[in-house]
Every structure is written in structure tokens, then in C-alpha cells.
Amino acid sequence: MLIEARNISLDVPDMSHQVLIGHRRKLRILKNVSIALKKGETVGLVGESGSGKTSLGRSLLRLHEPSEGQILFDGQDITHASAAELKPLRRRMQMIFQDPQSSLNPRHTIGSILATALKLNGMDASDKSIAAVLDRVGLPSSAIRRYPHQLSGGQRQRVGIARAVALKPDFVVADEIVSGLDVSTQAQVLDLLKGLRSEMGLALAFISHDLSVVRSLCERVVIMKGGEIIEEGGTAEVFAAPRTAFTRTLIDSIPLPEVRPGWLDS
Amino acid sequence: MSPVIDIRNLSARSAVGPILRDVSLSVNAGEVMALVGESGAGKSTIAKAVLGILPAGIEVTGGNIFFEGTDLLALSPARLRDMLGVRIALIPQDPLTSLNPARRIGDQLTDGLRLRAGMNRKRAFDRAMSLLNDVHIREPERVLKRYPHELSGGMRQRVLIAQAFSLNPHVIIADEPTTALDVTVQKQVLRLIRDMQREHKTTLLFVTHDLGVVAQICDRMTVLYGGKVLEQGFTAQILKNPQSPYTRALLAASPRYDQPEQSLEPVPEALIAELQREISA
């Protein structure tokens, strides 16, 4: 296994609970969750808002430190690893964010955004190598001198992908990366991801609320609710025969682009 | 039957160039019409033009928007203001930014009832209670005392639906009203909008990018690209047998969980080039 979470739980301070003295009450947002990804495998993390899918993704990258359980990356226990201990691993585990508008510095050119990521990891940050990365994600080399606001939403998301894959990572967490895009742009970005993952042997945790997208991209799917994994399995199997009523409801709630009288009332 | 909304040859432009090109569409009483397209298609601009809330920098360069026979574009701002909320109302996309975070739900929901319908505070609050009941909010009395951030996204959207219907408008414009919601909540909210629309016989202009949503709630649809109408007709017919290559391309780009073998095709570049030539011609 490349990345593995064993029975992890995550507590955060409960901000809705007022305290005057002493400790704030804890809120458990991940409950005894286990998940493992092999090299080259794509797993969809699916659930509604508040289900814990993003918290799980971030925990896998050790952006959160779990309150209980264990996280292993390539055989190494990183559950409580310090920032210094994690540093050499950071290049190998990357994240692509939902909103490229807010995750790309508006005052930096695309070239400098990518160069910074490469330099920090001791990699070749020449214009030539940046142009090669841009080309791989389908952006012209002229984008080097552009600022994020000068690109379209789809192009900005490609920059977010470029920043992650430029470092040749083994594991990528993609958090709702197509949810703000038009369907046509979404199709292009999904196609790009499929290409990159087979080329680079990426393990990909694809966080999404959109089951149709997950169905088309992921081999395995994990359904989350209330901080727990309530169902998991091969995507085809889960869609064909969901074992929980919740998964069934999620699937049945997706409106299909064909007129189905009575669907709304079902 | 004369249409409730009749848009004729509407054109608009911004500093960058034309954003609506000769758009014509009409919606009959009690009908649900979808405005569909990708970003930049002009669907929201049409909605804003009907509401008279086009942002600064966008100007209408031609055409008419008839509402029950009156050209909204020819009305004085004061007369238009009298109509908004009363005859024509809006269900906005983002309930969090559309509600004032510093005011209680009850105060916001009763504004229109007091200012427009001339109700006193007591009557307005009673009416607000029954409106929240209509949108299936439990314990409306408690919700009226809440602030927007204390409600879930679905609840907030229900409040805005209640607000839109509060003065019995003839037309409601719904601008991506379910885009920010989880799928299960989306389905409930769609059902609610459909039920309220049928009960009040409201004419609905439904702006969305989601062809699945269109299929389940809209009688007719208008497909837009680059500010131009490419296709218009009954939803069932268009989705089954789209005439415009662009509509076909949109369908081919949309993933369907029930058709996993289907490979997703982006709108072909050749088609985009052709559309660009067509709209600038």
C-alpha cells in the first residue's frame, strides 16, 4: 500500500459550544476511518457537505494530525511526524484545490507560482522545464508570464494540476477540482487527469460530491456520512447494487438529462 | 394565449463586446422555461435584464422585454421598482450572500410584506410564519428568530423561496437556485419550487447549467451560447432529439452514472470555431 489510514479519528474544537473556563468541548469529525490506496489507484471520496470527505483527504496528506489511529505513507508511520520529518515526503504527496482562484497567488505569474514549487523541492525551475509542465497540462508556454486572473477557470485549474504534478508526486488528493467548471471544461480536465494518472502511476484520492463524475473516473469509491465510511467497493459494484439505503438515495437523487415524469416525487 | 414574458430581439454589450445577440424568447403563464448554457452564454444577463439589475458597464443596445404587455425597458426606475418583488421576484443562487447576515430571518422575510403589502408588524409575522410552513420549515416561529448563518444551506434556500413567493408575483426568476446544494437537498428544493410554482400558477424562468435539472423541472428550454439563442423548444423533445450540434455536444460532455461506458467528449474545437463565426456574423 502506498498510503494507508488505519482507524483514524479526528477531533476539532467545537466552536458552537461556548466556554468561559477550561477546555472547549471536542467535536469528532472523523470516526474510526480506514482506507488504503495502492500505487496507480483512483479512489473517489464521496459524501454530502459535512460528511468528512475533505477532512479525510487532508488527513491522508497529514495536513491534519489524527487524534487516534495511524497514517502510513509508503510503509512509514507519519501519524505524528513533525514538519521537518514530513518535509522530504511533501514532494511525493500533493493536493489540488477546489478553487484555483483562491489557491493561486494573484500577484504572482503562473511561471513564478510553478517555479516556487519546483525550487522548494530542489527541482529544475528553468523556463524550459516550466514550459514542458504547462504543455503537459494543455497550456501554452505564453502562460508563464500571465497572472491567474488573466486565465479562464478551466485554465486556472490546469495550473493547479500543473503545480501538483510538476513535482512528480506518488499520491495526489484532488478536492472537488471540477465542481466549478462547465461540463465541457470538466470533460477536458477529467481527460487530463486520466492521462496523467496512467502516465505517472499516480495514486489519486478524488474528493467529489458528484457521483456521475466519480463513476466515470474512479475504480473504487468510498461513501462517507457523518465522519464515517458507510460503504465502499468497486465503483461499478456500488452503483449497480448499493448496500446501504443512503448510497441508494444519493444515486437516485442525481437528475438525469432525460424527462422522467414522477422522478421529483419519488 | 399571450405570453407573460416576451423578450424580443434583445441585445446588450459590455466594454469587451456584445454579450446578448438578438435574443428572443417568450414564456406563457404558468410555464417553466429554462435558460441553459455554459458560463458566458448570457443566461444570467437575460435574467438580470428582466429584473432591471444589469451591472454597471452592461448596456442594452436594442430590443424589448415585455412583461404582460408592458415594455420593462421603457419604464422609469421608480415604476420598475414598484414591480420588482411584487410582480416579478427572484430566487437567487447563493442564499448566504443574498440574506443580510446581521438581520434575523423574520425581519428580512417581513420587509416586503410590510413595505409592499402594507401589513403591520403583527400581520406580517403571521404571514411569514405561514410562508415558512408552506416551504416545509418546521418550527417556523423559532426559525424567524434565527440569523442566516444559523441555518443550513437548504433551509436558507427555502427561506428565499418563501420570500420570492411572499407577494404572489406573476413571474419568478430562479438563478441557479440549487447549484450550491447537496444532491439530496437539491431534489427536495426542486420539488418545492415545482409544487409552489404549480400551486400559485407562477411563470418561472429557470437559469441553470445543469441539463439534468432542466429535464426534471422545465417545460421548455432555451439553449444559449455566447449571448445567442441556438435552440428553443420543449424539453422532452430537445433532450431526446437535439437539433443544434452544440446541444448535442453539451449532452456528450455531461457524465451520466447510468452510462459509464460513454466517453466524455468536450465540445469540439471545430464546433466552437464555427459557433464563434456564427455569432459574430
Side-chain angles (χ1 to χ4, degrees), chain B residues 35 53 199 222:
Chain B
L35 297 180
I53 53 168
E199 193 188 322
T222 300

Tab-separated table of all heavy atoms in Angstrom, chain B residues 35 53 199 222:
chain	number	residue	atom	x	y	z
B	35	LEU	N	-33.283	28.588	-19.059
B	35	LEU	CA	-32.216	29.232	-19.825
B	35	LEU	C	-30.953	28.433	-19.533
B	35	LEU	O	-30.483	28.394	-18.406
B	35	LEU	CB	-32.018	30.683	-19.385
B	35	LEU	CG	-33.176	31.651	-19.597
B	35	LEU	CD1	-32.796	33.042	-19.087
B	35	LEU	CD2	-33.533	31.730	-21.065
B	53	ILE	N	-31.644	44.761	-13.222
B	53	ILE	CA	-30.497	44.875	-12.316
B	53	ILE	C	-29.195	44.548	-13.040
B	53	ILE	O	-28.285	43.946	-12.461
B	53	ILE	CB	-30.651	43.967	-11.069
B	53	ILE	CG1	-30.943	42.513	-11.487
B	53	ILE	CG2	-31.749	44.481	-10.149
B	53	ILE	CD1	-30.822	41.516	-10.351
B	199	GLU	N	-48.901	25.484	-7.609
B	199	GLU	CA	-49.972	25.941	-6.742
B	199	GLU	C	-50.327	27.406	-7.022
B	199	GLU	O	-51.497	27.772	-7.084
B	199	GLU	CB	-49.542	25.762	-5.287
B	199	GLU	CG	-50.684	25.909	-4.305
B	199	GLU	CD	-50.159	25.916	-2.887
B	199	GLU	OE1	-49.210	25.155	-2.612
B	199	GLU	OE2	-50.690	26.688	-2.072
B	222	THR	N	-34.361	27.009	-23.500
B	222	THR	CA	-33.655	27.839	-24.466
B	222	THR	C	-32.166	27.598	-24.260
B	222	THR	O	-31.664	27.786	-23.160
B	222	THR	CB	-33.968	29.328	-24.229
B	222	THR	OG1	-35.377	29.532	-24.374
B	222	THR	CG2	-33.230	30.211	-25.209
